[in-house]
């Protein structure tokens, strides 16, 4: 498989330091040094570890496994970071869902720019893969991919498609016949939009913080972020 072999070849590049990231698309993401300066000037730009910030949140970071649309492991660590206001909003959403016996499962959060470049280079349809010319809202630490789970069983609520489906059924605007699925999709959208997010037009699981433009595209790997925590 061509895509598979290409991905195998690029994995060491993605997991290496940001110095190796490709900036040939005209976008120069903020590096670790620039990030540190930015959080000194504006503390809400800090990237927060969701697992630490939101007790009980469930992570299933698909790009740190082979269970994703590429079939390959893209991240070498299953970490979920977001900018502080995103983390605070997710925390509020979780508290709201908990009243109904429900919780949040995160599939992806902050994504280093180097990973977005590699996704694009193997899958050039920008309907589903962010353009490296602009960067992804995930690169800004302002987007999350998620679903809702039953807190008692840990089971995901049934949604129109699985995560990262490229089908039209994944679009929030596509009508759903099944009333349970329709209700679940409405619940995730209503819950997140109430907390200041906007659902993506082709992915029911993807939510952007309104105001994401105020946050820079970053290219800092998870190891660097973990080592900087205190
Ligand atoms: Zn997403």
């Amino acid at each position: 498989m061509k895509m598979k072999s290409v991905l195998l070849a690029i994995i060491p590049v993605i997991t290496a330091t940001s110095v190796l990231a490709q900036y040939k698309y005209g976008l120069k993401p903020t590096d670790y040094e620039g990030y540190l300066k930015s959080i000194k000037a504006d503390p809400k730009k800090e990237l927060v570890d969701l697992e630490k910030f939101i007790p009980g949140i469930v992570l299933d970071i698909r790009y740190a496994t082979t269970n994703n649309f590429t079939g390959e492991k893209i991240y070498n660590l299953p970490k979920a970071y977001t900018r502080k206001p995103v983390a605070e909003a997710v925390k509020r959403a979780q508290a709201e869902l908990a009243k109904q016996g429900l919780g949040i499962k995160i599939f992806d959060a902050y994504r280093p720019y180097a990973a977005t470049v590699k996704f694009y280079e193997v899958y050039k349809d920008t309907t589903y893969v962010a353009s490296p010319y602009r960067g992804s809202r995930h690169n800004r630490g302002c987007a999350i991919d998620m679903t809702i789970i039953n807190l008692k069983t840990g089971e995901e609520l049934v949604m129109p498609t699985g995560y990262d489906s490229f089908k039209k059924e994944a679009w929030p605007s596509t009508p759903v016949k099944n009333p349970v699925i329709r209700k679940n999709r409405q619940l995730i959208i209503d819950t997140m939009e109430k907390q200041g997010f906007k659902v993506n037009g082709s992915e029911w699981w993807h939510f952007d913080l309104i105001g994401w433009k105020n946050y820079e595209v970053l290219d800092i790997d998870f190891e660097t972020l973990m080592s900087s925590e205190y």
Side-chain angles (χ1 to χ4, degrees):
M1 302 263 284
K2 203 178 165 206
M3 189 158 98
K4 232 177 181 177
S5 57
V6 170
L7 275 163
L8 280 174
I10 55 98
I11 284 167
V13 179
I14 291 175
T15 55
T17 64
S18 59
V19 181
L20 295 174
Q22 295 172 46
Y23 301 144
K24 64 184 177 191
Y25 298 101
L27 195 156
K28 175 82 175 74
T30 299
D31 62 8
Y32 186 56
E33 215 171 287
Y35 161 73
L36 289 180
K37 267 186 215 156
S38 77
I39 59 172
K40 226 176 229 175
D42 187 354
K44 74 174 189 299
K45 288 191 173 175
E46 186 188 348
L47 285 170
V48 173
D49 184 331
L50 292 188
E51 242 174 336
K52 287 185 187 164
F53 193 77
I54 311 175
I57 199 156
V58 175
L59 301 193
D60 179 13
I61 306 302
R62 294 291 189 85
Y63 299 127
T65 73
T66 55
N67 184 17
N68 65 67
F69 78 96
T70 68
E72 302 294 342
K73 201 175 150 178
I74 301 295
Y75 301 159
N76 55 356
L77 289 167
K79 298 297 289 181
Y81 288 90
T82 66
R83 305 283 193 166
K84 204 157 193 190
V86 177
E88 285 165 347
V90 174
K91 197 176 195 172
R92 291 194 303 268
Q94 180 181 267
E96 186 121 317
L97 288 168
K99 292 180 201 158
Q100 305 164 60
L102 302 171
I104 289 176
K105 183 191 267 188
I106 302 282
F107 295 128
D108 196 23
Y110 161 68
R111 179 186 306 158
Y113 178 73
T116 289
V117 170
K118 296 306 164 186
F119 278 138
Y120 177 75
E121 289 181 352
V122 296
Y123 199 91
K124 289 205 158 108
D125 182 351
T126 51
T127 311
Y128 294 100
V129 174
S131 161
Y133 294 95
R134 289 184 294 126
S136 160
R137 290 157 202 186
H138 284 285
N139 303 143
R140 297 172 189 262
C142 289
I144 49 162
D145 297 338
M146 60 171 280
T147 194
I148 295 177
I149 55 166
N150 179 312
L151 280 182
K152 227 180 243 168
T153 63
E155 294 280 320
E156 293 175 16
L157 299 195
V158 54
M159 292 291 181
T161 67
Y163 174 53
D164 263 355
S165 165
F166 292 174
K167 293 180 184 155
K168 207 171 172 181
E169 285 73 27
W171 299 13
S173 57
T174 302
V176 175
K177 271 194 198 144
N178 182 307
V180 176
I181 298 176
R182 191 164 61 229
K183 187 169 150 250
N184 291 343
R185 184 178 72 180
Q186 204 56 49
L187 177 66
I188 191 170
I189 294 171
D190 288 350
T191 302
M192 299 312 288
E193 294 198 338
K194 189 178 161 193
Q195 300 304 338
F197 292 94
K198 180 93 190 75
V199 71
N200 182 280
S202 52
E203 306 175 344
W204 61 260
W205 58 84
H206 175 117
F207 295 89
D208 294 310
L209 184 77
I210 293 169
W212 57 267
K213 278 185 188 155
N214 301 324
Y215 297 84
E216 301 81 12
V217 168
L218 302 173
D219 196 18
I220 305 163
D221 58 34
F222 295 143
E223 289 89 340
T224 306
L225 288 172
M226 285 170 77
S227 66
S228 74
E229 283 169 34
Y230 49 86

